[in-house]
Amino acid sequence: MVTVTPYNLTGRIDQDLDRLNIKPAVTSSSLKLPNADLELMTHSERLLIEADRGKYVSYYVIALKINLHKTLNRFSGRTKSLEDMVARDEKMAIEKQIITKFSKKTLSENFDIPETNIDGFLTFCLSQEDFSELSNTWNTTEVRDYLKAKSIEFKRTDLITE
């Protein structure tokens, strides 16, 4: 055991952390504020909720109310485009997490794809139907196995440029 003299540290992190008497950080959750644990919605999600809010038709005792905003958004295709935008944002978030977990250089070396084509490979993976299932699984080996299988498919296509 080594003692670091000026700070009275032992050299073992688990013991030193207990001795430091550091107070926990103040957060909205630690203050028990209402809605502190809610996940923040993206801009696309907020737009979708605004475009698709409420019922199409509401019945009152003597009146009938039609939600024109929702009806027009549905007929014009705005609701569908916003749903597609939310799905694309979710896939882009997964892609960012993959790049954070495995660097582009690591992906290039492990899957034998030139580093200049990694963005194309990730776009190829993004366009696959089963790509969004990766959000349910964040086991590194499962993600790596998925990317390995898709890299084989990607190499079969003519999308690789040297």
Side-chain angles (χ1 to χ4, degrees):
M1 199 178 305
V2 177
T3 303
V4 182
T5 314
Y7 303 106
N8 197 20
L9 299 173
T10 62
R12 296 185 63 200
I13 294 176
D14 55 343
Q15 287 180 349
D16 292 339
L17 285 177
D18 293 336
R19 297 167 75 191
L20 288 177
N21 297 329
I22 297 175
K23 296 179 182 176
V26 176
T27 63
S28 55
S29 298
S30 67
L31 294 175
K32 298 183 180 170
L33 295 175
N35 299 329
D37 297 326
L38 289 180
E39 187 175 324
L40 294 177
M41 294 172 57
T42 64
H43 181 67
S44 303
E45 290 171 329
R46 290 192 306 267
L47 285 175
L48 176 61
I49 287 175
E50 181 267 332
D52 202 31
R53 179 174 298 158
K55 298 178 182 178
Y56 285 108
V57 178
S58 301
Y59 298 104
Y60 294 105
V61 178
I62 58 170
L64 175 70
K65 177 183 163 189
I66 298 174
N67 188 343
L68 280 178
H69 186 65
K70 182 173 181 167
T71 306
L72 290 175
N73 283 330
R74 186 63 68 172
F75 284 137
S76 70
R78 182 171 183 248
T79 304
K80 178 67 176 154
S81 69
L82 289 173
E83 288 170 349
D84 293 342
M85 190 184 307
V86 168
R88 187 181 67 237
D89 288 348
E90 290 171 357
K91 287 182 177 181
M92 294 295 282
I94 296 170
E95 181 184 14
K96 283 182 184 179
Q97 289 178 342
I98 288 173
I99 291 173
T100 302
K101 202 171 270 197
F102 311 101
S103 68
K104 289 184 180 182
K105 185 172 183 156
T106 305
L107 291 173
S108 174
E109 291 171 356
N110 287 342
F111 303 135
D112 197 32
I113 297 173
E115 197 168 346
T116 56
N117 292 330
I118 291 297
D119 288 327
F121 168 64
L122 291 172
T123 303
F124 173 79
C125 290
L126 236 156
S127 67
Q128 303 299 310
E129 293 294 325
D130 56 347
F131 185 76
S132 58
E133 294 173 10
L134 284 180
S135 65
N136 301 333
T137 308
W138 277 110
N139 184 349
T140 306
T141 44
E142 290 181 19
V143 172
R144 188 185 179 287
D145 292 343
Y146 175 84
L147 292 174
K148 181 69 173 172
K150 293 302 173 185
S151 70
I152 294 168
E153 288 180 33
F154 181 70
K155 289 177 198 174
R156 282 191 220 138
T157 64
D158 294 330
L159 298 174
I160 295 180
T161 57
E162 296 297 324

